[in-house]
Amino acid sequence: MAEPAVMERGIQSLIAASKHLKSSLEKSKAIGSALERTGPTFDEIEQRLPSLEAAVRPIRADREALVAVGGHINRAVGPAAAVLKVFDAVHGLEKSLLSDPKNDLSGYLAVLKRLEEALKFLGENCGLAIQWLEDIVEYLEDHSVADEKYLSNLKKSLRGLREFQEEKARLDGGLRDAALDKLENEFRRLLKDNSVPLPMASPPSLGEQACIAPSQLPVTVIHKLQAILGRLRANNRLDKCISIYVEVRSSNVRASLQALDLDYLDISVTEFNDVQSIEGYISQWGNHLEFAVKHLFEAEFKLCNDVFERVGLNVWMDCFSKIAAQAGMLAFLQFGKTVTDSKKDPIKLLKLLDIFTSLNKLRADFNRLFGGAACVEIQNFTRDLIKKLIDGAAEIFWELLVQVEIQKQIPPPSDGGVPRLVSFVTDYCNKLIGDKYKSTLTQVLLIHKSWRSERFQDNQLMVEVLRIIKMIEQNMDAWMKAYPDQTLAHFFGMNNHWHLYKSLKGTRIGDQLGDSWLKEHDQYKEYYATVFLRDSWGKLPSHLSREGLILFSGGHATARDLVKKRLKSFNDAFDEMYKKQSIWVVPEKDLRERICQQIVQAVVPVYRSYMQNYGPLVEKDASSSKYVRYTVVALEKILSSLYVPRPMRYGSFKGTPPSEKLKNDVDLRRTTSAVV
């Protein structure tokens, strides 16, 4: 029984030994394979040993030297690691800063501020880190811890770092500049999208209560612009912002003004002969200037203050001055200067006063808007313009008397009417003393005198105007004496004395001259009218004498011959007088109608009575047309249509001279036709 048990144990031992052996073989085989694989690795290590030896050569030094190097390395690692960490953070901001700030402006500005802080840290610490690294190299070199080739490579790397650090823009790879460019673009976009020209077809009514245009940008937009300005200003880009702002806003003002049709502002002195050719533009100019100042430039002034108030007074005033200049303020002033440079003319005085009035009305606005140092160009231009206006107006006014006196040498009008000088000067003087110009002209003359350290009397303006009117009287006397025809001289005197009376009665000048002066001219008018009628048309009835026209049996032939002779004498005298006086004029309608009526009353009744009594004597005569040229009605029409200024003179006769027209219309075969 013992043997089987022994055998069983032996078999188990063999099996165990077999497994152990098999396991040992497998391990041996694995080790062999591993060794086989390790062989090339050892070969590679053997090949790299020289270079590894060179790499570790710097640390092949004595223990004390290595300990000292370790301390230097520890001091440099801290700043260098911090710089690298911040540099990595800078690159982490790239995606946000290259996006469009329009989507989240406040977030974009916050990220940009982080970038600025990071770049500031880098700018302040990169140099320090490089300095520490340079200290290590210097230590290694001084203590021969490393070989020369190794040190040379380190120095070369540090020089590259130093150059990189000195070019600060490269610290972020141009990321900050790109972000700032985007902010400038957003600044421009906000302005352009919210700058809308003021809609209008013409300037609104302006008065003491004129409504000032409100700021044209929403408050939220202004806040965004201010936020962008803050960042751009911190990065020395304020000038670019101002340039963008001026460009956009001045363009907006110009667009608002385009609706006013301001082409006339570009008119040069050589493009018009006298001030009358642009007279209509001057009143427009005053309205347009007032609108531009009170509405457009006032709004821009306020808006500049709102947007740039955090930057400083000098900045926003300079910004506004550039907008005003580029938007056309100087063009308005240049137009006024063009008027002052035009040739002298009495009517120019009124236009200079109009321009002065417009500028004086806006004086407070000019001082407030353009009074700062930044607007010196506009100030100088305005000051120069006002001086030219005052000098020009005063010069023309003080020369008026001399100019009127010179006209005395000019021949009087051949039509006996009122010379243009007389009608112009009376109307002109009334305007100078009228409500519109008196105070302005007084102010201008007062300023002009003060510049010359001369005194201006309160009534000096009226005194000078009265001297001009009295010079007109002297001219009239000289012109009357210049007529060779006394009848025409009396006709001229009637016209001009009546013109003075009517033009000045009820005016300030007339009040100063007094009732006796006015009455004197009215009497002169009556006197010359009476003498004129007596010496001209009043002589016609004498040609229709009834002497010797006693009708008796057998005396018709003698009477008929006398009637023919006297009618022919009347007709010849009438035709001659009409021919001469048909070119004469009476400009004043009421005087013309009165004179014509007096002529009709002096001639027509006598002619009617004569034709009624003696017309039948020539009715059946074959040559009657030689003697009865006019009907009574025709004669009255002719006389009633005298002295009408051209082009109205022959209006009632459709342009045909009366004598020819009436000859065609009158039927001379019937005695009654001559009477009617």
Side-chain angles (χ1 to χ4, degrees):
M1 294 295 296
E3 290 181 358
V6 172
M7 290 179 67
E8 182 67 24
R9 287 196 297 271
I11 292 171
Q12 293 296 328
S13 297
L14 287 172
I15 292 172
S18 175
K19 290 180 178 180
H20 179 74
L21 180 61
K22 185 178 181 180
S23 174
S24 296
L25 288 173
E26 289 177 351
K27 289 181 180 180
S28 297
K29 186 177 181 180
I31 291 172
S33 297
L35 289 173
E36 185 177 354
R37 291 194 304 270
T38 305
T41 302
F42 282 128
D43 293 339
E44 183 179 353
I45 292 173
E46 186 176 2
Q47 293 175 1
R48 292 176 60 189
L49 280 176
S51 60
L52 291 173
E53 183 181 2
V56 299
R57 187 176 302 150
I59 62 173
R60 290 180 177 179
D62 56 56
R63 182 182 182 86
E64 293 180 359
L66 290 176
V67 171
V69 169
H72 281 285
I73 292 175
N74 289 336
R75 285 193 297 271
V77 165
V83 167
L84 289 175
K85 184 177 180 181
V86 173
F87 192 76
D88 288 339
V90 166
H91 287 284
L93 303 176
E94 184 173 355
K95 181 178 180 180
S96 297
L97 292 176
L98 293 181
S99 63
D100 192 344
K102 174 183 177 181
N103 301 324
D104 181 11
L105 180 60
S106 59
Y108 192 92
L109 293 172
V111 174
L112 178 59
K113 188 173 183 181
R114 287 173 55 195
L115 173 64
E116 293 170 7
E117 293 171 350
L119 293 178
K120 181 181 180 182
F121 177 86
L122 291 176
E124 294 174 350
N125 291 278
C126 277
L128 179 62
I130 293 172
Q131 183 62 52
W132 281 90
L133 293 175
E134 288 174 343
D135 289 346
I136 293 175
V137 173
E138 183 179 353
Y139 182 89
L140 294 176
E141 186 176 21
D142 291 344
H143 293 82
S144 301
V145 177
D147 61 16
E148 293 182 1
K149 183 177 181 180
Y150 181 77
L151 293 175
S152 176
N153 290 336
L154 285 177
K155 289 179 180 180
K156 182 177 180 180
S157 298
L158 289 175
R159 281 196 300 270
L161 287 175
R162 179 66 70 181
E163 293 173 359
F164 183 84
Q165 183 264 340
E166 289 175 354
E167 297 180 20
K168 296 182 179 179
R170 295 177 58 188
L171 290 175
D172 63 345
L175 180 60
R176 177 168 55 180
D177 287 340
L180 295 175
D181 289 342
K182 285 183 172 294
L183 278 183
E184 287 179 358
N185 291 335
E186 177 63 8
F187 188 82
R188 181 187 295 274
R189 186 196 68 78
L190 285 170
L191 280 174
K192 293 187 71 172
D193 289 355
N194 293 278
S195 295
V196 181
L198 194 62
M200 59 197 169
S202 61
S205 58
L206 295 168
E208 296 299 326
Q209 303 299 323
C211 176
I212 303 302
S215 171
Q216 296 183 42
L217 296 184
V219 176
T220 54
V221 173
I222 292 177
H223 290 166
K224 289 181 179 180
L225 294 174
Q226 289 175 335
I228 294 175
L229 274 172
R231 293 268 50 82
L232 292 175
R233 182 190 181 195
N235 288 276
N236 299 318
R237 291 212 183 188
L238 180 60
D239 289 344
K240 185 64 180 296
C241 277
I242 293 175
S243 177
I244 293 172
Y245 186 89
V246 170
E247 174 192 342
V248 175
R249 294 303 300 180
S250 61
S251 176
N252 188 68
V253 175
R254 287 196 301 271
S256 297
L257 291 172
Q258 282 180 356
L260 302 180
D261 189 15
L262 300 177
D263 291 343
Y264 67 86
L265 294 180
D266 298 326
I267 293 177
S268 64
V269 177
T270 58
E271 290 180 306
F272 59 87
N273 296 323
D274 53 49
V275 75
Q276 288 178 308
S277 61
I278 58 169
E279 185 175 356
Y281 292 130
I282 293 177
S283 59
Q284 279 186 297
W285 177 85
N287 291 332
H288 291 163
L289 176 63
E290 185 173 358
F291 168 75
V293 170
K294 286 186 172 293
H295 287 259
L296 298 180
F297 292 122
E298 175 72 32
E300 292 305 319
F301 183 83
K302 182 179 183 302
L303 188 59
C304 279
N305 181 31
D306 291 343
V307 174
F308 293 95
E309 63 177 343
R310 299 177 185 175
V311 181
L313 176 64
N314 292 338
V315 172
W316 74 261
M317 283 296 293
D318 180 64
C319 189
F320 169 73
S321 71
K322 292 177 180 177
I323 292 174
Q326 294 185 21
M329 188 62 213
L330 293 177
F332 276 104
L333 299 175
Q334 179 60 50
F335 176 82
K337 184 177 181 298
T338 299
V339 176
T340 65
D341 292 340
S342 63
K343 70 178 184 179
K344 287 194 297 184
D345 187 308
I347 196 67
K348 177 180 174 181
L349 170 57
L350 302 181
K351 300 309 150 188
L352 295 179
L353 294 177
D354 287 337
I355 294 175
F356 179 86
T357 299
S358 296
L359 290 174
N360 195 42
K361 185 178 180 180
L362 297 171
R363 180 173 55 180
D365 298 283
F366 265 68
N367 290 339
R368 180 168 49 84
L369 298 179
F370 311 116
C375 295
V376 64
E377 183 179 12
I378 293 176
Q379 294 168 22
N380 291 338
F381 210 125
T382 304
R383 191 179 300 111
D384 182 62
L385 173 57
I386 292 176
K387 186 177 188 307
K388 285 180 175 293
L389 291 170
I390 292 175
D391 287 342
E395 182 180 359
I396 293 173
F397 178 77
W398 295 120
E399 289 182 359
L400 283 176
L401 182 64
V402 176
Q403 293 300 320
V404 171
E405 185 177 11
I406 291 174
Q407 300 298 313
K408 186 186 300 181
Q409 305 170 5
I410 297 176
S414 60
D415 61 7
V418 178
R420 183 176 181 276
L421 176 69
V422 175
S423 59
F424 174 82
V425 169
T426 51
D427 179 63
Y428 187 75
C429 289
N430 278 329
K431 287 182 178 179
L432 292 181
I433 302 299
D435 293 335
K436 183 176 180 181
Y437 291 109
K438 182 181 179 182
S439 61
T440 302
L441 180 55
T442 300
Q443 182 181 4
V444 165
L445 297 177
L446 177 62
I447 295 172
H448 188 259
K449 286 282 189 180
S450 67
W451 288 348
R452 297 167 176 256
S453 300
E454 298 175 1
R455 187 177 179 183
F456 182 77
Q457 302 293 339
D458 293 340
N459 65 338
Q460 194 167 351
L461 174 59
M462 180 61 77
V463 169
E464 190 68 17
V465 168
L466 295 181
R467 290 178 64 195
I468 294 172
I469 295 297
K470 291 178 180 179
M471 182 58 67
I472 285 290
E473 288 184 286
Q474 296 179 27
N475 285 15
M476 286 168 47
D477 292 340
W479 286 328
M480 283 189 67
K481 294 176 182 178
Y483 281 112
D485 184 344
Q486 285 301 302
T487 301
L488 182 56
H490 296 148
F491 184 83
F492 172 85
M494 173 195 71
N495 266 326
N496 285 270
H497 283 286
W498 176 246
H499 179 81
L500 283 182
Y501 173 81
K502 186 173 182 180
S503 297
L504 299 178
K505 182 177 175 59
T507 66
R508 290 177 178 173
I509 297 176
D511 293 342
Q512 287 291 321
L513 291 169
D515 290 338
S516 60
W517 185 92
L518 293 170
K519 185 177 180 180
E520 181 181 357
H521 281 281
D522 187 32
Q523 291 173 343
Y524 272 125
K525 179 264 299 181
E526 291 292 339
Y527 169 75
Y528 288 123
T530 301
V531 175
F532 160 71
L533 289 171
R534 183 195 67 195
D535 294 343
S536 57
W537 298 102
K539 293 181 178 181
L540 278 180
S542 64
H543 293 281
L544 299 176
S545 172
R546 302 189 182 204
E547 184 179 353
L549 296 178
I550 301 175
L551 301 180
F552 53 86
S553 178
H556 285 80
T558 302
R560 182 167 54 251
D561 291 340
L562 285 174
V563 169
K564 287 181 180 180
K565 181 180 179 181
R566 290 169 183 174
L567 282 174
K568 184 178 184 303
S569 176
F570 173 85
N571 290 333
D572 291 344
F574 176 84
D575 288 346
E576 181 182 358
M577 195 171 300
Y578 178 82
K579 181 180 179 181
K580 181 172 69 173
Q581 296 193 22
S582 62
I583 63 171
W584 296 4
V585 298
V586 179
E588 304 288 348
K589 182 180 178 182
D590 50 355
L591 178 61
R592 181 172 65 248
E593 291 177 348
R594 180 181 174 188
I595 290 298
C596 287
Q597 186 60 35
Q598 290 177 350
I599 294 173
V600 168
Q601 291 174 356
V603 176
V604 173
V606 176
Y607 184 73
R608 178 186 293 111
S609 175
Y610 196 83
M611 293 304 296
Q612 286 174 345
N613 291 320
Y614 306 110
L617 290 175
V618 296
E619 179 185 19
K620 297 180 180 180
D621 195 296
S623 61
S624 61
S625 61
K626 295 181 180 180
Y627 309 106
V628 184
R629 299 179 187 176
Y630 308 108
T631 66
V632 174
V633 173
L635 189 66
E636 185 173 354
K637 286 183 178 179
I638 293 174
L639 296 175
S640 298
S641 66
L642 283 168
Y643 313 129
V644 178
R646 291 180 176 87
M648 298 171 56
R649 181 172 301 139
Y650 302 132
S652 60
F653 299 105
K654 300 181 181 179
T656 304
S659 58
E660 296 181 9
K661 178 69 177 177
L662 292 172
K663 286 179 181 178
N664 293 333
D665 286 351
V666 177
D667 183 0
L668 299 177
R669 293 174 299 176
R670 298 175 55 192
T671 305
T672 54
S673 67
V675 177
V676 175

mmCIF file of all heavy atoms in Angstrom, residues 456-474:
data_model
loop_
_atom_site.group_PDB
_atom_site.id
_atom_site.type_symbol
_atom_site.label_atom_id
_atom_site.label_comp_id
_atom_site.label_asym_id
_atom_site.label_seq_id
_atom_site.Cartn_x
_atom_site.Cartn_y
_atom_site.Cartn_z
ATOM 1 N N PHE A 456 -18.452 161.351 -33.426
ATOM 2 C CA PHE A 456 -19.629 161.258 -34.288
ATOM 3 C C PHE A 456 -20.825 161.822 -33.540
ATOM 4 O O PHE A 456 -21.225 161.305 -32.496
ATOM 5 C CB PHE A 456 -19.884 159.798 -34.679
ATOM 6 C CG PHE A 456 -21.054 159.620 -35.621
ATOM 7 C CD1 PHE A 456 -20.930 159.918 -36.965
ATOM 8 C CD2 PHE A 456 -22.279 159.164 -35.149
ATOM 9 C CE1 PHE A 456 -21.997 159.753 -37.833
ATOM 10 C CE2 PHE A 456 -23.352 158.996 -35.997
ATOM 11 C CZ PHE A 456 -23.211 159.293 -37.351
ATOM 12 N N GLN A 457 -21.387 162.931 -34.070
ATOM 13 C CA GLN A 457 -22.532 163.567 -33.431
ATOM 14 C C GLN A 457 -23.796 162.726 -33.632
ATOM 15 O O GLN A 457 -23.936 162.022 -34.632
ATOM 16 C CB GLN A 457 -22.754 164.960 -34.024
ATOM 17 C CG GLN A 457 -21.561 165.892 -33.897
ATOM 18 C CD GLN A 457 -21.274 166.271 -32.450
ATOM 19 O OE1 GLN A 457 -22.145 166.179 -31.583
ATOM 20 N NE2 GLN A 457 -20.045 166.695 -32.190
ATOM 21 N N ASP A 458 -24.705 162.830 -32.681
ATOM 22 C CA ASP A 458 -25.928 162.033 -32.733
ATOM 23 C C ASP A 458 -26.751 162.315 -33.990
ATOM 24 O O ASP A 458 -27.344 161.410 -34.563
ATOM 25 C CB ASP A 458 -26.786 162.295 -31.488
ATOM 26 C CG ASP A 458 -26.118 161.771 -30.227
ATOM 27 O OD1 ASP A 458 -25.235 160.915 -30.352
ATOM 28 O OD2 ASP A 458 -26.490 162.218 -29.129
ATOM 29 N N ASN A 459 -26.799 163.576 -34.417
ATOM 30 C CA ASN A 459 -27.624 163.941 -35.574
ATOM 31 C C ASN A 459 -26.817 164.076 -36.862
ATOM 32 O O ASN A 459 -27.299 164.617 -37.849
ATOM 33 C CB ASN A 459 -28.351 165.252 -35.297
ATOM 34 C CG ASN A 459 -27.383 166.417 -35.140
ATOM 35 O OD1 ASN A 459 -26.202 166.209 -34.835
ATOM 36 N ND2 ASN A 459 -27.873 167.630 -35.345
ATOM 37 N N GLN A 460 -25.569 163.594 -36.823
ATOM 38 C CA GLN A 460 -24.694 163.797 -37.975
ATOM 39 C C GLN A 460 -25.200 163.070 -39.216
ATOM 40 O O GLN A 460 -25.055 163.551 -40.333
ATOM 41 C CB GLN A 460 -23.272 163.336 -37.636
ATOM 42 C CG GLN A 460 -22.234 163.805 -38.643
ATOM 43 C CD GLN A 460 -20.819 163.623 -38.127
ATOM 44 O OE1 GLN A 460 -20.611 163.306 -36.950
ATOM 45 N NE2 GLN A 460 -19.847 163.821 -38.991
ATOM 46 N N LEU A 461 -25.823 161.917 -39.026
ATOM 47 C CA LEU A 461 -26.355 161.165 -40.161
ATOM 48 C C LEU A 461 -27.443 161.967 -40.860
ATOM 49 O O LEU A 461 -27.428 162.117 -42.096
ATOM 50 C CB LEU A 461 -26.903 159.815 -39.683
ATOM 51 C CG LEU A 461 -27.629 158.976 -40.729
ATOM 52 C CD1 LEU A 461 -26.708 158.656 -41.896
ATOM 53 C CD2 LEU A 461 -28.151 157.682 -40.099
ATOM 54 N N MET A 462 -28.380 162.508 -40.098
ATOM 55 C CA MET A 462 -29.462 163.281 -40.694
ATOM 56 C C MET A 462 -28.934 164.548 -41.355
ATOM 57 O O MET A 462 -29.382 164.934 -42.447
ATOM 58 C CB MET A 462 -30.499 163.627 -39.628
ATOM 59 C CG MET A 462 -31.668 164.447 -40.153
ATOM 60 S SD MET A 462 -32.619 163.606 -41.436
ATOM 61 C CE MET A 462 -33.571 162.453 -40.422
ATOM 62 N N VAL A 463 -27.967 165.182 -40.731
ATOM 63 C CA VAL A 463 -27.393 166.403 -41.302
ATOM 64 C C VAL A 463 -26.781 166.119 -42.667
ATOM 65 O O VAL A 463 -26.975 166.884 -43.625
ATOM 66 C CB VAL A 463 -26.336 167.000 -40.351
ATOM 67 C CG1 VAL A 463 -25.547 168.107 -41.037
ATOM 68 C CG2 VAL A 463 -26.995 167.530 -39.084
ATOM 69 N N GLU A 464 -26.077 165.021 -42.763
ATOM 70 C CA GLU A 464 -25.431 164.678 -44.036
ATOM 71 C C GLU A 464 -26.466 164.336 -45.101
ATOM 72 O O GLU A 464 -26.322 164.729 -46.265
ATOM 73 C CB GLU A 464 -24.478 163.489 -43.820
ATOM 74 C CG GLU A 464 -23.571 163.190 -44.997
ATOM 75 C CD GLU A 464 -22.539 164.286 -45.234
ATOM 76 O OE1 GLU A 464 -22.306 165.111 -44.304
ATOM 77 O OE2 GLU A 464 -21.964 164.327 -46.334
ATOM 78 N N VAL A 465 -27.513 163.638 -44.716
ATOM 79 C CA VAL A 465 -28.570 163.290 -45.673
ATOM 80 C C VAL A 465 -29.272 164.550 -46.179
ATOM 81 O O VAL A 465 -29.567 164.680 -47.377
ATOM 82 C CB VAL A 465 -29.584 162.317 -45.028
ATOM 83 C CG1 VAL A 465 -30.826 162.177 -45.904
ATOM 84 C CG2 VAL A 465 -28.948 160.951 -44.818
ATOM 85 N N LEU A 466 -29.537 165.503 -45.290
ATOM 86 C CA LEU A 466 -30.177 166.754 -45.703
ATOM 87 C C LEU A 466 -29.281 167.536 -46.658
ATOM 88 O O LEU A 466 -29.771 168.183 -47.597
ATOM 89 C CB LEU A 466 -30.517 167.601 -44.477
ATOM 90 C CG LEU A 466 -31.566 167.012 -43.521
ATOM 91 C CD1 LEU A 466 -31.828 167.974 -42.368
ATOM 92 C CD2 LEU A 466 -32.863 166.716 -44.255
ATOM 93 N N ARG A 467 -27.987 167.481 -46.442
ATOM 94 C CA ARG A 467 -27.056 168.146 -47.362
ATOM 95 C C ARG A 467 -27.145 167.517 -48.748
ATOM 96 O O ARG A 467 -27.073 168.234 -49.765
ATOM 97 C CB ARG A 467 -25.626 168.038 -46.825
ATOM 98 C CG ARG A 467 -25.340 168.855 -45.577
ATOM 99 C CD ARG A 467 -23.917 168.642 -45.107
ATOM 100 N NE ARG A 467 -22.953 169.132 -46.081
ATOM 101 C CZ ARG A 467 -21.653 168.834 -46.080
ATOM 102 N NH1 ARG A 467 -21.170 168.008 -45.145
ATOM 103 N NH2 ARG A 467 -20.854 169.321 -46.987
ATOM 104 N N ILE A 468 -27.317 166.219 -48.794
ATOM 105 C CA ILE A 468 -27.442 165.532 -50.089
ATOM 106 C C ILE A 468 -28.719 165.965 -50.800
ATOM 107 O O ILE A 468 -28.713 166.239 -52.012
ATOM 108 C CB ILE A 468 -27.421 164.003 -49.868
ATOM 109 C CG1 ILE A 468 -26.053 163.554 -49.344
ATOM 110 C CG2 ILE A 468 -27.750 163.274 -51.175
ATOM 111 C CD1 ILE A 468 -26.006 162.105 -48.914
ATOM 112 N N ILE A 469 -29.826 166.051 -50.052
ATOM 113 C CA ILE A 469 -31.098 166.472 -50.656
ATOM 114 C C ILE A 469 -30.988 167.901 -51.184
ATOM 115 O O ILE A 469 -31.471 168.219 -52.286
ATOM 116 C CB ILE A 469 -32.239 166.360 -49.632
ATOM 117 C CG1 ILE A 469 -32.468 164.884 -49.251
ATOM 118 C CG2 ILE A 469 -33.516 166.971 -50.183
ATOM 119 C CD1 ILE A 469 -32.910 163.999 -50.387
ATOM 120 N N LYS A 470 -30.349 168.755 -50.438
ATOM 121 C CA LYS A 470 -30.214 170.141 -50.883
ATOM 122 C C LYS A 470 -29.272 170.262 -52.074
ATOM 123 O O LYS A 470 -29.424 171.172 -52.905
ATOM 124 C CB LYS A 470 -29.742 171.008 -49.713
ATOM 125 C CG LYS A 470 -30.822 171.150 -48.638
ATOM 126 C CD LYS A 470 -30.369 171.973 -47.452
ATOM 127 C CE LYS A 470 -31.502 172.075 -46.418
ATOM 128 N NZ LYS A 470 -31.102 172.847 -45.219
ATOM 129 N N MET A 471 -28.336 169.340 -52.159
ATOM 130 C CA MET A 471 -27.483 169.319 -53.347
ATOM 131 C C MET A 471 -28.294 168.908 -54.569
ATOM 132 O O MET A 471 -28.058 169.413 -55.680
ATOM 133 C CB MET A 471 -26.305 168.367 -53.124
ATOM 134 C CG MET A 471 -25.323 168.312 -54.292
ATOM 135 S SD MET A 471 -24.622 169.939 -54.703
ATOM 136 C CE MET A 471 -23.654 170.259 -53.220
ATOM 137 N N ILE A 472 -29.261 168.036 -54.377
ATOM 138 C CA ILE A 472 -30.164 167.667 -55.470
ATOM 139 C C ILE A 472 -30.920 168.905 -55.966
ATOM 140 O O ILE A 472 -31.110 169.096 -57.174
ATOM 141 C CB ILE A 472 -31.149 166.577 -55.004
ATOM 142 C CG1 ILE A 472 -30.439 165.223 -54.902
ATOM 143 C CG2 ILE A 472 -32.337 166.471 -55.950
ATOM 144 C CD1 ILE A 472 -30.052 164.622 -56.231
ATOM 145 N N GLU A 473 -31.349 169.749 -55.029
ATOM 146 C CA GLU A 473 -32.023 170.996 -55.416
ATOM 147 C C GLU A 473 -31.110 171.850 -56.298
ATOM 148 O O GLU A 473 -31.552 172.397 -57.327
ATOM 149 C CB GLU A 473 -32.409 171.788 -54.175
ATOM 150 C CG GLU A 473 -33.546 171.213 -53.379
ATOM 151 C CD GLU A 473 -33.925 172.123 -52.219
ATOM 152 O OE1 GLU A 473 -33.176 172.165 -51.223
ATOM 153 O OE2 GLU A 473 -34.963 172.801 -52.326
ATOM 154 N N GLN A 474 -29.870 171.959 -55.890
ATOM 155 C CA GLN A 474 -28.931 172.761 -56.673
ATOM 156 C C GLN A 474 -28.729 172.163 -58.063
ATOM 157 O O GLN A 474 -28.647 172.895 -59.060
ATOM 158 C CB GLN A 474 -27.592 172.870 -55.939
ATOM 159 C CG GLN A 474 -27.656 173.594 -54.608
ATOM 160 C CD GLN A 474 -26.309 173.650 -53.916
ATOM 161 O OE1 GLN A 474 -25.259 173.622 -54.570
ATOM 162 N NE2 GLN A 474 -26.337 173.731 -52.590
#
